[in-house]
Amino acid sequence: RQRWRADGRALRKLPVHVGLVVTEEEPSYADMASLVVWCMAVGISYVSVYDHNGIFKRNNSRLMDEILKQQQELLGLDCSKYAVEFANHDKTGQVLNCQSTLKVLSPEDGKADIVKAAQSFCQLVAQQQRTHSDLDVNMLDNLLSSTNGFPDPDLVLKFGPVDSTLGFLPWHIRLTEIISLPSHLNISYEDFFSALHHYAACEQRWGK
């Protein structure tokens, strides 16, 4: 545990929010749980888990059981009070390890959430609570429910052969660094940390 925390401190920059995007057809709960726990261990504050079929979100209790198990095994934590926040569900904000917050997302939290936000804004205009000139980046950010309370991802780790994020938060990843890895299956901590090291070394020019 001390080694992982030291690894996080040793990086020149550490992402605040990491998206873990699986494009493979057969997601592994154990391997995804390892990735989430490693994110927690190095000090990443926000983690989003996504697969384009919504399997993790539909089977969230199975994923959370695996995360709890690995928290206890790898970090030695008392995680009896953990929970996970699911986008677009009536659940209160919840945290893992009192340090890292996790959201499990599916395609409905991407383009569909943008459509829902646009409809909500149109209703506000129709009710004369807003005017069309009020719509800007901050307004749309506030209307999007899938990442309410989450900053935009600094880094997306995309797993699998598909050269696409397959609908993962299309509005929020305009400035996100995306690193592709062959697979999340049997991934090692060394592979994960190597990706973080690559992110820390990259120079983001913000479109310049």
Side-chain angles (χ1 to χ4, degrees):
R1 181 180 179 185
Q2 291 179 339
R3 173 211 168 179
W4 289 327
R5 187 64 70 181
D7 282 347
R9 289 195 297 265
L11 293 171
R12 187 168 64 88
K13 61 179 178 179
L14 188 68
V16 175
H17 178 188
V18 170
L20 303 173
V21 176
V22 174
T23 66
E24 297 158 284
E25 292 300 322
E26 297 294 334
S28 165
Y29 294 89
D31 290 314
M32 181 53 67
S34 294
L35 286 160
V36 171
V37 173
W38 293 334
C39 285
M40 296 166 54
V42 299
I44 293 168
S45 299
Y46 300 91
V47 182
S48 295
V49 171
Y50 176 92
D51 71 278
H52 65 288
N53 291 318
I55 295 173
F56 285 130
K57 189 171 181 178
R58 288 197 304 274
N59 300 281
N60 53 72
S61 60
R62 181 177 172 184
L63 176 62
M64 290 308 303
D65 286 344
E66 189 64 42
I67 291 173
L68 174 59
K69 173 185 173 184
Q70 295 199 33
Q71 278 181 311
Q72 294 171 331
E73 290 178 354
L74 300 178
L75 303 181
L77 298 175
D78 176 10
C79 302
S80 59
K81 295 183 179 179
Y82 85 96
V84 60
E85 180 179 351
F86 297 99
N88 294 344
H89 283 61
D90 295 328
K91 295 195 181 265
T92 57
Q94 302 160 335
V95 297
L96 291 170
N97 187 26
C98 299
Q99 295 176 351
S100 301
T101 307
L102 171 69
K103 283 194 177 184
V104 180
L105 303 171
S106 66
E108 69 187 48
D109 305 308
K111 292 181 180 179
D113 194 32
I114 296 175
V115 172
K116 183 179 177 181
Q119 291 172 337
S120 297
F121 181 77
C122 289
Q123 289 176 350
L124 292 173
V125 173
Q127 296 165 2
Q128 298 185 337
Q129 297 180 34
R130 295 285 182 182
T131 67
H132 69 277
S133 59
D134 291 331
L135 184 61
D136 57 17
V137 171
N138 291 330
M139 171 65 71
L140 184 55
D141 281 340
N142 291 333
L143 289 170
L144 292 171
S145 61
S146 61
T147 54
N148 187 29
F150 264 48
D152 288 350
D154 307 284
L155 170 65
V156 164
L157 299 180
K158 182 193 70 66
F159 303 96
V162 180
D163 191 20
S164 169
T165 55
L166 296 178
F168 172 76
L169 299 180
W171 172 256
H172 302 84
I173 58 174
R174 305 180 300 278
L175 302 175
T176 300
E177 187 73 19
I178 300 174
I179 296 176
S180 296
L181 296 167
S183 175
H184 73 302
L185 301 175
N186 300 314
I187 190 168
S188 68
Y189 173 75
E190 286 70 24
D191 292 333
F192 166 75
F193 186 70
S194 177
L196 290 186
H197 194 272
H198 177 80
Y199 166 80
C202 74
E203 181 181 354
Q204 292 172 292
R205 298 179 178 273
W206 314 113
K208 296 178 181 178

